[in-house]
Amino acid sequence: MVEKVDLEDFSDEPIPQENLDLAKQYGVTATPVLIITDSEGNLLAKKTGGMEITQNIRSLVETYA
């Protein structure tokens, strides 16, 4: 399953608290970030930065899909 969580506010609505809590749970301090978890929410991999994410998506999918 793939899930997108917005952490930047580009509208008049505030960022939902659940998104901020999720970011804190996984130590997200910058975006974009790609986080891979198991079905119980345990962190398996974390990639930060646009180019690094783009270059590593295939290997992460092959490893964890």
Side-chain angles (χ1 to χ4, degrees), residues 35-55:
I35 294 176
I36 307 296
T37 64
D38 63 16
S39 60
E40 296 176 1
N42 298 308
L43 181 66
L44 299 175
K46 180 178 175 181
K47 301 291 182 185
T48 303
M51 186 58 78
E52 183 176 358
I53 289 172
T54 302
Q55 293 174 344

Side-chain angles (χ1 to χ4, degrees), residues 3-52:
E3 184 174 340
K4 178 183 176 190
V5 177
D6 288 319
L7 295 174
E8 296 185 27
D9 185 9
F10 295 111
S11 68
D12 293 334
E13 297 181 27
I15 300 168
Q17 186 60 46
E18 68 182 79
N19 293 10
L20 298 173
D21 293 343
L22 198 57
K24 185 176 180 179
Q25 176 182 345
Y26 292 108
V28 173
T29 58
T31 60
V33 62
L34 174 65
I35 294 176
I36 307 296
T37 64
D38 63 16
S39 60
E40 296 176 1
N42 298 308
L43 181 66
L44 299 175
K46 180 178 175 181
K47 301 291 182 185
T48 303
M51 186 58 78
E52 183 176 358

